[in-house]
């Protein structure tokens, strides 16, 4: 099992920026990705972006010019930096980990979420 704890959410003004952090309770093994999803009220959860342990990143097309995901594997931590925030970015942001297993399958883990509210 992996526990994920997010931090860094809060109230931000339109045009501002945020930096979220997520710490995993242990090292993530195998081929793995760490990243972020978000869910706005009344909407489905959607990808923000992920980064693999090989450093390959993947972003939602609509966010790739404003979001940057990085990780510090030594600290079991993944970060999300977003700029030029808009009210539409208001959502619960979830940390996500997919960890490969020796049998070739994978396990997924989610954090509890951290609220980001962008005021207009």
């Amino acid at each position: 099992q992996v526990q994920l704890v997010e931090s860094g959410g809060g109230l931000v003004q339109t045009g501002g920026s945020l930096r979220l952090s997520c710490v995993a309770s242990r090292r993530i093994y195998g081929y793995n990705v760490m990243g972020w999803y978000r869910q706005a009220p009344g909407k489905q959860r959607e990808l923000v972006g992920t980064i693999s342990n090989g450093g390959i990143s993947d972003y939602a097309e609509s966010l790739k010019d404003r979001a940057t995901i990085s990780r510090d594997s030594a600290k079991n931590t993944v970060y999300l930096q977003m700029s030029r925030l808009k009210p539409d970015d208001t959502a619960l942001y979830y940390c996500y980990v997919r960890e490969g297993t020796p049998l070739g399958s994978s396990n997924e883990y989610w954090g509890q979420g951290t609220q980001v509210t962008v005021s207009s």
Side-chain angles (χ1 to χ4, degrees):
Q1 280 292 326
V2 177
Q3 282 73 50
L4 303 173
V5 178
E6 303 103 333
S7 62
L11 181 63
V12 185
Q13 289 188 334
T14 295
S17 61
L18 65 80
R19 186 174 190 252
L20 305 181
S21 301
C22 171
V23 181
S25 58
R26 61 163 175 80
R27 178 183 171 185
I28 310 302
Y29 293 97
Y31 176 78
N32 64 80
V33 296
M34 303 181 76
W36 298 88
Y37 282 71
R38 68 183 185 180
Q39 187 167 19
K43 295 186 177 181
Q44 290 188 328
R45 192 173 298 188
E46 64 175 4
L47 171 73
V48 177
T50 60
I51 184 168
S52 72
N53 55 322
I56 304 299
S57 57
D58 178 38
Y59 294 96
E61 190 66 29
S62 61
L63 297 174
K64 64 194 315 179
D65 62 337
R66 298 191 294 121
T68 301
I69 291 181
S70 59
R71 64 187 285 174
D72 185 337
S73 295
K75 296 182 179 179
N76 305 328
T77 302
V78 62
Y79 305 95
L80 169 65
Q81 181 86 32
M82 280 187 67
S83 61
R84 306 193 306 278
L85 289 167
K86 311 170 186 178
D88 284 349
D89 294 316
T90 295
L92 195 57
Y93 284 71
Y94 293 93
C95 184
Y96 167 80
V97 165
R98 185 173 75 246
E99 178 181 50
T101 73
L103 297 178
S105 61
S106 60
N107 295 317
E108 295 183 325
Y109 304 96
W110 294 90
Q112 292 296 309
T114 184
Q115 179 67 40
V116 173
T117 302
V118 183
S119 63
S120 57

